[in-house]
Amino acid sequence: MKNTRILNSLALLFVCMLMSTVAWAQNEQKASPPATATGKVGEADIIVSYSSPAVKGRQIWGDLVPYGEVWRAGANEATTVTVDEDVMVEGKALPAGTYSLYTIPGEDEWTVIFNKTAKQWGTQYDEGQDALRVTTKPRKAATMNERLAYDVTDQGIVLRWENLEVPVTITAQQ
């Protein structure tokens, strides 16, 4: 009887370990794994949290991500941007807080949208919750970027994917 309990306990422990390993491996194999970019602009800490899709041989701009339509600027849950101090984005005021980030890509100009509803699935965009909309100019990337990536620089944030970069200027609020 005692040996049966020990064997049952060991079997249960083995099953739990196996399930944890499988869950961990599945998370590591996500098509668009979670990523974070952090940095400072002046005294403001900035954090960009996003899911990072891959090009995988696809045409991205104007095809997978259509021009002229709202895009969640990542995959899965909405990309978020957190600023811990009031800042200026492309010359317009943005209060400290956490925002979902959306864009409207264009061939020559992008609209970048900071939305007040931060915790949401990426496709649940509500224009009525926009905190700020700014425009910026995309540019050709120096190198091909297989995975979507954000960088926080001392001049703001930069979205990089495929052969494109989209800089968004952020400065300290005066």
Side-chain angles (χ1 to χ4, degrees), residues 47 79-83 95-100 114-119:
I47 302 167
T79 294
T80 60
V81 175
T82 301
V83 293
T98 299
Y99 302 91
S100 56
F114 294 83
N115 188 275
K116 294 180 227 174
T117 307
K119 298 290 182 187

Side-chain angles (χ1 to χ4, degrees), residues 84-151:
D84 69 346
E85 293 189 13
D86 297 351
V87 294
M88 301 295 286
V89 179
E90 297 292 334
K92 296 181 179 180
L94 182 69
T98 299
Y99 302 91
S100 56
L101 182 70
Y102 291 90
T103 64
I104 302 173
E107 290 185 64
D108 301 316
E109 184 175 83
W110 281 43
T111 300
V112 179
I113 304 163
F114 294 83
N115 188 275
K116 294 180 227 174
T117 307
K119 298 290 182 187
Q120 62 184 328
W121 191 252
T123 56
Q124 295 177 333
Y125 171 71
D126 176 3
E127 184 176 349
Q129 293 299 307
D130 288 356
L132 179 66
R133 281 181 172 227
V134 297
T135 58
T136 188
K137 301 276 186 199
R139 62 186 180 218
K140 183 166 176 45
T143 60
M144 197 289 205
N145 296 282
E146 175 63 25
R147 289 213 165 268
L148 171 81
Y150 284 89
D151 289 319

Side-chain angles (χ1 to χ4, degrees), residues 6-164:
I6 290 172
L7 287 175
N8 284 343
S9 295
L10 286 173
L12 181 61
L13 178 63
F14 176 75
V15 168
C16 289
M17 288 173 50
L18 181 63
M19 288 175 54
S20 319
T21 302
V22 168
W24 175 81
Q26 286 176 340
N27 192 38
E28 290 298 308
Q29 299 297 323
K30 280 186 176 179
S32 300
T36 304
T38 61
K40 284 182 114 30
V41 173
E43 295 299 313
D45 288 315
I46 299 175
I47 302 167
V48 181
S49 299
Y50 60 101
S51 291
S52 178
V55 173
K56 296 189 229 174
R58 301 175 291 184
Q59 172 66 39
I60 302 301
W61 309 116
D63 189 19
L64 181 67
V65 178
Y67 291 131
E69 295 181 20
V70 174
W71 174 55
R72 60 182 152 187
N76 305 326
E77 295 84 4
T79 294
T80 60
V81 175
T82 301
V83 293
D84 69 346
E85 293 189 13
D86 297 351
V87 294
M88 301 295 286
V89 179
E90 297 292 334
K92 296 181 179 180
L94 182 69
T98 299
Y99 302 91
S100 56
L101 182 70
Y102 291 90
T103 64
I104 302 173
E107 290 185 64
D108 301 316
E109 184 175 83
W110 281 43
T111 300
V112 179
I113 304 163
F114 294 83
N115 188 275
K116 294 180 227 174
T117 307
K119 298 290 182 187
Q120 62 184 328
W121 191 252
T123 56
Q124 295 177 333
Y125 171 71
D126 176 3
E127 184 176 349
Q129 293 299 307
D130 288 356
L132 179 66
R133 281 181 172 227
V134 297
T135 58
T136 188
K137 301 276 186 199
R139 62 186 180 218
K140 183 166 176 45
T143 60
M144 197 289 205
N145 296 282
E146 175 63 25
R147 289 213 165 268
L148 171 81
Y150 284 89
D151 289 319
V152 178
T153 71
D154 59 356
Q155 296 179 4
I157 59 176
V158 180
L159 174 156
R160 291 185 173 92
W161 196 22
E162 196 202 36
N163 294 309
L164 193 72

